[in-house]
Amino acid sequence: MTTTLVIGIDGSPASKRALAHGQRLSKLIGDCTLMLVYVIEWSPYTFQSAEENEQRHNRREEEIHVAKSRVLDPMIKELAADGFKAECKVRHGNAAEILNAVAVENHAEQIIIARGSEGGIASRFFGTVSVKLATSASVPVTIVS
Amino acid sequence: MTRRLLIPVALVHLFAFSVTALAQEGAEAGGIDAAVNDVFSVATGWFVSFIFSNLPGTSFPWIVLWLVVGATIFTVYFGFIQFRAFKHAIQLVKGDYSDPNDAGEVSHFQALATALSGTVGLGNIAGVAVAIGIGGPGATFWMILAGLMGMASKFTECTLGVKYRNEFPNGTVSGGPMYYMEKGFKERGMPGGRFLAVLFAIFCILGSLGGGNMFQANQAHAQLANIFGDFPGWITGIVFAAVVFAVIVGGIKSIARVTEKVVPFMGVLYVVAALIIILANIDQIGVAFGRIFEGAFTGLGVAGGLVGALIQGFRRAAFSNEAGVGSAAIAHSAVKTKEPITEGFVSLLEPFIDTVVICTMTALVIIISDQLITDANGMFILNDDGTTIQTVGDTSGVALTSAAFATAFSWFPIVLAIAVILFAFSTMLSWSYYGLKAWTYLFGEGKTKEIVFKVTFCIFVVIGAAASLGPVIDFSDAAIFAMAVVNIAALYVLMPIVKRELNSYWSRLKSGEIKRYAGSSTKRTQPAE
């Protein structure tokens, strides 16, 4: 039975370090699927204007398309070329909650995220997200420095 | 956030500077206000007279009866849905029934918040003061009752708004009474849908220029004049019009975005301040409610007695929460849901928050702070013209609310001035959107057509700020109520469709067919593919 590793990706150099760690583990494990998850921060409780609401569906589709085409698809292509089994998902919501939910849904063995000084990754996977995951995730969490 | 908050504060400072510079010149040109007022009064007088004409042989305006009867019929027809579905509405707003696959789309909360930003505003601050100033504390009772009944009207129109909205090939959605009138009537095989839709669109444009624009500019100016001293209204109008122009024509979204984020904070601040005053005077709450109930059925000497209090209560409630007016159906229609009725449930919270909670708080603060002058027998003393109650400092509208809050917090007029400016601005942006939707329904989509409406909208900002309160408030009411005349008529025809939706949804909810997702919607995810 294949082992699934969930890896938090946001396109930053730090998240590439998380992916690199996942690749190392994958080689050690053998039969392993890398599940790349890109979370677009979103809350159903924000305030928007009527015009923003009108355009929201389009914006959502664009956000998903950009994340897939610019970040995830090239990574998946590269991983496949290197002989790794990999899948990807783009989700809207809270990063820590989504990563945990995807891990549970896919019976993943662990979640791998990175911390770094870069703004993007710092805001997404460091601080509240990594602490929240480390303290409340349903599966083991590796935080790559 | 700090940077965001700096922008409105900076705008106020900029405004203060402009006022000081222009006041001297403006004083000489003060005649402009009078000229605008005269022309405006003459131009709109006939329309106002028609809308507010009394039923033959009575002193009761037919339009108030129209609203009361409409709200009552919807309440009874849907089996007091505002009470039955209240808990479910809160569950929907919390996201308990939101499909995880819809994460990233417009949530029920967002649709409600957007609609509320268009309704919570000056109606809650100035409108309540106007109602109490004319109708006495008793007007509050009728206002609350109107708010509770209006929940059923809102439920009906917003369900239809989502059901018959347009989903365009480019992914945008657009809805409102124009669409449910046209499509709904067609579906029921009834004629006249298109006619009503056109009529509604015309009144919606007038409403967006009146209550959604001029009244806001007028009361924002009143509050600024209260702080900086009297100066010509056209100065406020030009500054406001320039900022509105920058957003709706110039496309400077950042101003709108900041407003959308700051306004809820101002709303919370307003409610907290009111709560503090109410709690600090908790021993007077019983007396205040006593005056509200007594005034509701006796009038306590106000002009028109019981009927006067009732008319004012219903007028201001309708103006504040817009139930039955149809505007909310435009705002709510962008929600992502497979069940239109769910947005109907969510929308019924709107009059509750707006009128039953916030308006009541304003009313209690005004009553508790003893702004209304009474004689030794507890009867209100009227002004010389016998139409309004005498107040401490002879204030009315937003100035009366400001004075009431100032009795507890001397600095509150400054906060209220910022809140009024932001509320006014936010409501203007919302109504410019509603008006534009009606405009494009009538004339079709197109850049030039949209610009024509937007520039007209900005011109009316100046007129609204320059005209005196009386003619502006009358025209604003008349335009909003004219929308309600057409909308409620259409709702009578279409309410069986809502009933069908309601029965179907309710039975599926009871049987468990409608799935409840555990926890908050932020915990849920959706597949991208």
Side-chain angles (χ1 to χ4, degrees), chain A:
Chain A
M1 188 183 156
T2 187
T3 300
T4 303
L5 302 176
V6 167
I7 304 170
I9 298 291
D10 70 350
S12 70
S15 70
K16 284 179 184 162
R17 291 203 297 276
L19 178 60
H21 183 71
Q23 286 173 281
R24 276 197 298 279
L25 286 183
S26 175
K27 280 180 188 163
L28 293 170
I29 294 166
D31 185 9
C32 184
T33 301
L34 300 175
M35 175 81 67
L36 278 49
V37 182
Y38 189 110
V39 183
I40 298 164
E41 281 292 341
W42 174 84
S43 165
Y45 306 117
T46 52
F47 295 93
Q48 299 184 152
S49 68
E51 229 166 350
E52 282 175 315
N53 284 350
E54 184 183 310
Q55 306 286 339
R56 184 58 213 157
H57 178 71
N58 275 355
R59 291 273 307 278
R60 176 181 179 269
E61 297 301 308
E62 272 170 32
E63 287 161 2
I64 292 170
H65 174 73
V66 168
K68 280 203 77 184
S69 61
R70 292 197 188 161
V71 180
L72 294 175
D73 286 349
M75 280 181 169
I76 293 286
K77 213 170 166 186
E78 217 171 289
L79 288 168
D82 293 341
F84 291 98
K85 269 202 288 185
E87 294 172 20
C88 68
K89 288 179 189 297
V90 182
R91 305 273 169 108
H92 282 81
N94 175 280
E97 289 173 358
I98 300 273
L99 288 170
N100 186 51
V102 172
V104 171
E105 277 166 29
N106 293 280
H107 309 287
E109 285 300 319
Q110 67 170 282
I111 300 167
I112 303 168
I113 55 167
R115 69 184 177 112
S117 55
E118 298 87 352
I121 199 75
S123 62
R124 203 155 293 194
F125 294 120
F126 187 57
T128 54
V129 177
S130 57
V131 168
K132 197 170 179 183
L133 267 178
T135 53
S136 64
S138 311
V139 299
V141 178
T142 299
I143 301 169
V144 180
S145 59

Side-chain angles (χ1 to χ4, degrees), chain B residues 4 40 65 81 84 95 160 165 177 195 207 216 262 314-315 334 363 436 476 513 521:
Chain B
R4 285 176 178 175
F40 183 71
L65 188 71
I81 191 69
R84 283 198 297 141
L160 291 167
R165 66 185 168 186
F195 172 73
Q216 310 297 325
V262 175
F314 270 89
R315 261 180 83 161
L436 184 64
S476 300
E513 195 184 325
S521 58

Side-chain angles (χ1 to χ4, degrees), chain B residues 222-461:
Chain B
Q223 181 63 13
L224 288 165
N226 199 26
I227 289 172
F228 299 117
D230 201 20
F231 66 93
W234 59 266
I235 298 174
T236 306
I238 286 174
V239 175
F240 254 78
V243 184
V244 171
F245 185 89
V247 175
I248 65 173
V249 182
I252 302 175
K253 303 269 185 234
S254 55
I255 300 175
R257 244 177 253 135
V258 169
T259 310
E260 293 304 326
K261 268 78 180 175
V262 175
V263 161
F265 289 108
M266 297 306 290
V268 171
L269 185 66
Y270 182 79
V271 169
V272 169
L275 269 177
I276 291 171
I277 295 172
I278 291 166
L279 291 174
N281 296 281
I282 197 84
D283 55 319
Q284 290 184 47
I285 290 293
V287 178
F289 273 108
R291 303 209 95 185
I292 289 172
F293 281 106
E294 200 183 347
F297 299 103
T298 66
L300 283 172
V302 302
L306 184 159
V307 175
L310 185 147
I311 291 170
Q312 281 307 317
F314 270 89
R315 261 180 83 161
R316 303 268 50 95
F319 186 76
S320 177
N321 65 41
E322 296 166 20
V325 168
S327 54
I330 301 174
H332 281 275
S333 62
V335 73
K336 179 72 182 178
T337 179
K338 294 177 189 75
E339 303 282 351
I341 199 90
T342 56
E343 198 53 27
F345 292 137
V346 168
S347 70
L348 60 78
L349 295 174
E350 211 185 311
F352 183 82
I353 296 168
D354 178 278
T355 309
V356 180
V357 177
I358 303 179
C359 284
T360 305
M361 282 187 174
T362 304
L364 284 174
V365 171
I366 292 172
I367 297 166
I368 285 172
S369 61
D370 277 334
Q371 292 297 303
L372 307 174
I373 299 173
T374 53
D375 62 16
N377 301 319
M379 301 297 273
F380 292 109
I381 300 172
L382 301 182
N383 279 337
D384 293 340
D385 59 3
T387 54
T388 56
I389 297 169
Q390 275 188 24
T391 56
V392 178
D394 200 23
T395 54
S396 66
V398 73
L400 174 57
T401 308
S402 185
F405 275 82
T407 57
F409 308 110
S410 58
W411 45 266
F412 202 80
I414 305 283
V415 174
L416 199 62
I418 297 172
V420 162
I421 292 165
L422 288 168
F423 281 150
F425 187 61
S426 156
T427 306
M428 278 181 191
L429 293 186
S430 297
W431 273 92
S432 73
Y433 178 80
Y434 302 156
L436 184 64
K437 288 286 133 189
W439 184 267
T440 53
Y441 176 80
L442 286 179
F443 303 110
E445 310 275 342
K447 276 266 177 255
T448 315
K449 289 169 188 165
E450 289 185 11
I451 292 284
V452 170
F453 173 77
K454 287 172 177 176
V455 170
T456 308
F457 191 86
C458 292
I459 292 169
F460 270 78
V461 176

